[in-house]
Amino acid sequence: MSKILVFGHQNPDTDAIGAALAYANLQQTLGKEIEAVALGTPSEETQYALDYFEISAPRVVSEAKTEVSDVVLVDHNEFQQSISDIADLNILAVIDHHRIANFETANPLYYRAEPVGCTSTIILKLYKEAQIEVPRAIAGMMLSAIVSDTLLFKSPTCTAEDVTAAKELAQIAQVDLEEYGLAMLKAGTNLSDKSVETLLDLDAKSFTMGEKTVRVAQVNTVDIKEVFARQAELEAAMASENQTNQYDLFVLIVTDILASDSSLLAVGSDLDKVEKAFETTLENNRAFLPGVVSRKKQVVPQLTESFNN
Amino acid sequence: MSKILVFGHQNPDTDAIGAALAYANLQQTLGKEIEAVALGTPSEETQYALDYFEISAPRVVSEAKTEVSDVVLVDHNEFQQSISDIADLNILAVIDHHRIANFETANPLYYRAEPVGCTSTIILKLYKEAQIEVPRAIAGMMLSAIVSDTLLFKSPTCTAEDVTAAKELAQIAQVDLEEYGLAMLKAGTNLSDKSVETLLDLDAKSFTMGEKTVRVAQVNTVDIKEVFARQAELEAAMASENQTNQYDLFVLIVTDILASDSSLLAVGSDLDKVEKAFETTLENNRAFLPGVVSRKKQVVPQLTESFNN
């Protein structure tokens, strides 16, 4: 049996790292030789969780085929969000909660996707199906992932299963869910000391929409104004990223985690498609999106449909 | 809650029809308004099973959007094997055991694929997870699907889970597994009264390989010679299908279900890729493939790799 690597998407968020750690732990317990790695360093939010539960951050890799042939993807499937040499690897399994696109395999595989708020909610099911107990620190990381992905259950992506899973994991992790969750989310909103380039890369994903490539970044904050104080600098960096990486459009979603609203900033071509997607008018390249907190459910499908029509 | 349609692939085999019937039964028991339909009429093998367990064949449909917006796919995912208007439908769920290719959704969905021999083996798990009992006739169709897909456990796609599931389902269905299974398989090998066009369409699927479209048909027989007595007629029909449907290559796999071997017939371009895929030399457009019985595991990956290099 050869070694397996498991990893989440590029610009890893807490679920990308937490789900990889949890899946690796489960499979190790079942006797597999598997290592959780990451396609980037942890965000401050994720680092808060890792420190709290005393777990080391996964080793960062940028390619896999030099060390393994078999990989498992968690929290993503689209190849452009995955490891650079994904097309040369044998994908054994995918555990995910996103749409499926730009993904294919030559062989049958294990694919488990469910329309829930967090990959870690599905991984908890896998532990139960295998009748394996979740260790405390792993439960803490899975709980952190659910809190992160659902913004403490405020996101429309959150399902009853996510809430139940988080409560169960909080018990195993021995933390007060609300208190720990808010502290962890706030740890991720410290944006003032970050360069605009860092900020745009904290949680950014690329999507193919129609014939175009669209970059959608999201940052969480407790002070939207503070972020937009640097709007000119942000726009310059977004335009520069578009040019360097051949993105047609760069959309930044700035989410107020307390008010559960977002403001959008768009730079690039097809701004009319952005306006159509959100039935809004951009003013100074910006639009306020009341009630929008989920990129997956309230941003990407709307943009995709707008680009497809 | 609006009505849902569930269906297997075009040119339905016993799993495509059995898994659709089983999934619909499970979801109806759980309170959903869902109907199993089929993208074609049952084969003689499938009809034998339907008659034995006194179930009506599912209604045949060729498009869905005029009656529903939500669909569930079983035993396939590739769009070119699915309903004609698949790109306009909302895919709620997929239950499958094939590679994933030419498949995408705009929204998160339930996707359950496992590398087992038959979709119905996975659906038995879904019944258990939902704690619903499988009715006798449905168990009979699921058992028939496993026997069909694994050629009574002789295919290399067959896993220990398929064998266990089949034994359990045979008990519920109140049949002797070996005796019923062989009788059902033999019912599907009556090829002599069929036109070559019908024979080529019994169990045929299209695949995108590299830049090419490859049609791979498979027929089961207890007498390979009988099939190749009509080789000239078959080749003419394959060439005609290639032209009509823009297939670059048509590969027919004739499988001896008793000897567990196959003979291949290839018509079209890229015959060198066929030779490379199976490390063989075509003679009179034919090659003997010892031990090959599974299109999914012993034909499609080999051809795909050959076309990709």
Side-chain angles (χ1 to χ4, degrees):
Chain A
M1 194 183 61
S2 55
K3 185 180 169 181
I4 302 161
L5 292 184
V6 52
F7 44 82
H9 50 78
Q10 295 170 15
N11 303 310
D13 59 8
T14 304
D15 192 29
I17 287 179
L21 289 167
Y23 186 86
N25 176 273
L26 171 62
Q27 295 297 330
Q28 283 158 5
T29 310
L30 292 169
K32 293 266 167 61
E33 188 187 349
I34 181 167
E35 179 188 0
V37 292
L39 307 186
T41 52
S43 68
E44 286 183 49
E45 178 195 279
T46 309
Q47 193 59 55
Y48 178 92
L50 290 165
D51 291 344
Y52 192 98
F53 293 105
E54 298 176 334
I55 296 188
S56 305
R59 178 167 64 96
V60 174
V61 300
S62 59
E63 57 168 39
K65 72 178 172 200
T66 51
E67 51 177 320
V68 297
S69 58
D70 294 336
V71 296
V72 173
L73 314 188
V74 293
D75 197 30
H76 76 295
N77 67 83
E78 304 191 34
F79 278 12
Q80 79 281 5
Q81 298 169 3
S82 196
I83 203 160
S84 60
D85 54 357
I86 186 67
D88 301 325
L89 296 161
N90 181 41
I91 303 169
L92 285 183
V94 177
I95 321 293
D96 191 21
H97 66 129
H98 295 89
R99 72 168 190 179
I100 298 176
N102 193 20
F103 176 84
E104 66 169 22
T105 63
N107 294 300
L109 74 164
Y110 184 96
Y111 200 111
R112 183 80 169 254
E114 301 191 19
V116 293
C118 183
T119 308
S120 292
T121 300
I122 305 167
I123 292 184
L124 180 58
K125 287 192 190 185
L126 301 186
Y127 271 94
K128 289 183 177 183
E129 289 167 16
Q131 298 182 291
I132 304 284
E133 279 186 28
V134 187
R136 175 177 178 263
I138 295 292
M141 289 309 299
M142 291 166 76
L143 165 68
S144 302
I146 298 174
V147 167
S148 171
D149 269 11
T150 66
L151 286 177
L152 250 176
F153 315 137
K154 282 184 188 153
S155 167
T157 58
C158 186
T159 67
E161 287 192 51
D162 297 299
V163 178
T164 307
K167 286 180 178 165
E168 188 175 333
L169 291 164
Q171 282 217 321
I172 303 171
Q174 299 162 27
V175 295
D176 180 275
L177 207 167
E178 293 285 330
E179 190 186 332
Y180 170 79
L182 200 59
M184 186 204 74
L185 285 177
K186 279 193 179 161
T189 64
N190 174 26
L191 304 174
S192 56
D193 65 346
K194 293 189 174 59
S195 70
V196 289
E197 287 77 14
T198 301
L199 192 150
L200 291 174
D201 202 44
L202 280 177
D203 180 8
K205 294 181 181 175
S206 302
F207 299 89
T208 303
M209 298 185 182
E211 305 290 304
K212 303 300 180 73
T213 300
V214 181
R215 184 79 164 172
V216 186
Q218 184 171 25
V219 294
N220 291 340
T221 181
V222 289
D223 185 358
I224 284 191
K225 275 200 230 83
E226 183 193 73
V227 178
F228 281 103
R230 293 194 277 172
Q231 181 174 347
E233 216 188 323
L234 283 166
E235 289 183 10
M238 290 159 79
S240 162
E241 288 243 352
N242 283 350
Q243 192 159 19
T244 309
N245 303 291
Q246 276 96 52
Y247 306 141
D248 298 286
L249 171 67
F250 199 125
V251 173
L252 171 67
I253 307 291
V254 183
T255 300
D256 183 330
I257 60 167
L258 300 179
S260 299
D261 290 318
S262 294
S263 282
L264 168 155
L265 179 63
V267 173
S269 69
D270 302 289
L271 295 181
D272 58 315
K273 297 224 160 56
V274 176
E275 293 186 328
K276 207 178 85 192
F278 302 106
E279 294 172 1
T280 186
T281 307
L282 291 171
E283 286 179 26
N284 186 21
N285 297 328
R286 286 170 57 176
F288 180 65
L289 305 178
V292 168
V293 297
S294 165
R295 171 171 54 196
K296 186 167 74 168
K297 207 146 183 166
Q298 297 172 298
V299 177
V300 171
Q302 289 73 5
L303 275 175
T304 302
E305 197 184 330
S306 186
F307 273 87
N308 282 339
N309 289 321
Chain B
M1 193 185 62
S2 55
K3 184 179 167 179
I4 302 161
L5 292 184
V6 52
F7 45 81
H9 51 78
Q10 296 170 16
N11 303 311
D13 60 8
T14 304
D15 192 28
I17 287 181
L21 288 167
Y23 186 85
N25 176 274
L26 171 62
Q27 295 296 329
Q28 284 157 4
T29 311
L30 293 169
K32 293 267 167 60
E33 188 186 350
I34 182 167
E35 180 189 358
V37 293
L39 307 187
T41 53
S43 69
E44 285 182 51
E45 178 195 278
T46 311
Q47 193 60 53
Y48 178 93
L50 290 165
D51 290 344
Y52 192 99
F53 293 104
E54 298 178 335
I55 295 188
S56 305
R59 177 166 67 95
V60 174
V61 299
S62 58
E63 56 168 40
K65 71 179 173 198
T66 50
E67 50 176 320
V68 297
S69 59
D70 293 337
V71 296
V72 173
L73 314 188
V74 292
D75 196 32
H76 75 297
N77 66 83
E78 304 192 36
F79 278 12
Q80 79 280 4
Q81 298 169 2
S82 195
I83 203 161
S84 60
D85 54 357
I86 187 66
D88 301 325
L89 296 161
N90 181 41
I91 302 169
L92 285 183
V94 177
I95 320 294
D96 191 22
H97 66 129
H98 294 88
R99 73 167 189 178
I100 299 177
N102 192 21
F103 176 84
E104 66 169 22
T105 63
N107 294 301
L109 74 164
Y110 184 96
Y111 200 111
R112 182 79 170 255
E114 301 190 20
V116 292
C118 182
T119 308
S120 292
T121 300
I122 305 167
I123 293 184
L124 180 59
K125 287 192 189 185
L126 301 186
Y127 271 93
K128 289 183 176 181
E129 289 167 17
Q131 298 182 294
I132 303 285
E133 279 187 28
V134 187
R136 174 177 178 262
I138 295 291
M141 290 309 299
M142 291 166 75
L143 165 67
S144 302
I146 297 175
V147 167
S148 171
D149 270 10
T150 66
L151 287 178
L152 248 176
F153 316 137
K154 282 185 189 154
S155 169
T157 58
C158 187
T159 67
E161 287 191 51
D162 298 299
V163 178
T164 307
K167 286 180 178 167
E168 187 175 334
L169 290 164
Q171 283 218 320
I172 304 172
Q174 299 161 28
V175 295
D176 179 275
L177 207 168
E178 292 286 330
E179 189 187 334
Y180 170 79
L182 200 60
M184 187 203 76
L185 286 178
K186 279 195 180 158
T189 63
N190 174 24
L191 304 173
S192 56
D193 66 346
K194 291 188 176 60
S195 71
V196 289
E197 288 77 15
T198 301
L199 192 150
L200 290 173
D201 202 43
L202 279 177
D203 179 10
K205 294 180 181 176
S206 302
F207 299 89
T208 304
M209 296 184 184
E211 306 290 303
K212 304 298 179 75
T213 301
V214 181
R215 183 78 164 172
V216 186
Q218 184 171 25
V219 295
N220 290 341
T221 181
V222 289
D223 185 358
I224 285 190
K225 276 201 229 84
E226 183 194 72
V227 178
F228 280 104
R230 293 193 278 171
Q231 181 174 346
E233 216 188 325
L234 282 166
E235 288 183 10
M238 289 158 79
S240 162
E241 288 241 354
N242 283 351
Q243 191 159 22
T244 309
N245 303 292
Q246 276 96 52
Y247 306 141
D248 297 287
L249 171 68
F250 199 125
V251 173
L252 172 66
I253 307 290
V254 183
T255 300
D256 183 329
I257 59 166
L258 300 179
S260 300
D261 290 319
S262 294
S263 282
L264 168 155
L265 179 64
V267 173
S269 70
D270 301 289
L271 296 181
D272 57 318
K273 296 220 162 55
V274 176
E275 293 187 330
K276 207 178 82 190
F278 302 106
E279 293 170 3
T280 186
T281 308
L282 291 171
E283 285 179 27
N284 184 23
N285 297 328
R286 286 169 59 174
F288 179 65
L289 306 178
V292 168
V293 297
S294 165
R295 172 172 53 197
K296 187 168 72 166
K297 207 145 183 167
Q298 297 171 299
V299 177
V300 171
Q302 289 74 4
L303 275 175
T304 302
E305 198 184 329
S306 186
F307 273 87
N308 282 339
N309 288 323

